[in-house]
Amino acid sequence: PGWKRWTPFVAIPFILNAIILMQTRGAFVGLVGAAPLALLLGPKNKRKIVSINMVLGGILLLMVADQSFWERMGTIKTEEGQQMESSAASRFDIAEANWRMFKDYPMGVGHRGNDLLSPEYMPEHLLTDKEGSQIRSAHNTIMAILVDHGLPGIVLFVLLHVAIARAILRLRRDSLNDPSPQMMA
């Protein structure tokens, strides 16, 4: 009720601006993938509002995003025979190194273990950056959890997501069965 209802609406431009400035393909794909879920999981009586907000967000994205953003998003998909962009291709090498780290340390290395082990497992061309750093982050949440926290960490990660999915589905079911104003808001 009241001003709290408008808080997410006010946040949309700031979130889109962060995605545009960071030129993050993962966030863009997540944003595009979340749209149908918002329509599917949202209350039926709010679908019109959700649809309007998605259209407004899309228009805002088209108005604010510059050419370099769209060029970066254009590297998400490659055509048959086309060379994958080097940043995207390096993710496979990093994931392979992370998998070897996990196999050697199945119970995990500890927080920031990937940083400690990366010089031993990753090729030199992946390690040296502009500042001369010899460490590399996982660039993948699942692999980071596997290396840093091992099997216990990935089990907890999966259980957390199962609990979240169950809660969302329970809320959806309850909102369909209870048409009270509190559940419909």
Side-chain angles (χ1 to χ4, degrees):
W3 66 271
K4 292 179 184 177
R5 168 176 289 178
W6 296 100
T7 304
F9 187 74
V10 171
I12 290 172
F14 294 101
I15 294 169
L16 284 175
N17 189 47
I19 291 171
I20 292 166
L21 290 176
M22 292 186 294
Q23 297 188 356
T24 168
R25 294 173 293 202
F28 180 74
V29 170
L31 190 65
V32 171
L37 290 176
L39 289 172
L40 177 70
L41 296 175
K44 287 183 181 180
N45 64 337
K46 302 290 183 185
R47 286 196 180 141
K48 183 177 180 181
I49 293 171
V50 171
S51 298
I52 290 170
N53 284 330
M54 283 193 289
V55 168
L56 290 174
I59 292 170
L60 184 62
L61 180 68
L62 291 171
M63 288 173 49
V64 175
D66 60 356
Q67 186 62 29
S68 66
F69 173 80
W70 293 114
E71 287 171 5
R72 175 90 168 149
M73 295 310 113
T75 64
I76 292 173
K77 183 179 183 242
T78 59
E79 302 295 328
E80 183 82 26
Q82 182 183 5
Q83 183 72 20
M84 187 182 303
E85 190 238 356
S86 64
S87 172
S90 71
R91 301 303 197 262
F92 290 103
D93 295 333
I94 295 168
E96 183 182 324
N98 288 142
W99 184 250
R100 287 194 322 269
M101 289 180 213
F102 166 68
K103 288 191 323 188
D104 289 348
Y105 299 93
M107 297 308 284
V109 181
H111 185 62
R112 298 190 56 99
N114 189 77
D115 292 351
L116 296 172
L117 293 176
S118 58
E120 296 176 36
Y121 286 83
M122 292 189 192
E124 183 70 27
H125 72 278
L126 292 176
L127 295 174
T128 307
D129 62 9
K130 290 178 251 184
E131 290 84 33
S133 173
Q134 288 293 307
I135 62 172
R136 185 69 185 229
S137 65
H139 287 285
N140 179 316
T141 303
I142 303 291
M143 292 309 220
I145 292 170
L146 283 172
V147 172
D148 292 353
H149 307 290
L151 289 173
I154 201 69
V155 167
L156 290 173
F157 184 76
V158 168
L159 289 175
L160 171 68
H161 283 80
V162 168
I164 291 169
R166 289 181 68 196
I168 290 171
L169 292 173
R170 184 178 62 246
L171 284 170
R172 179 165 165 57
R173 183 188 67 233
D174 291 349
S175 72
L176 293 174
N177 294 335
D178 182 11
S180 66
Q182 292 84 5
M183 292 303 286
M184 300 307 255

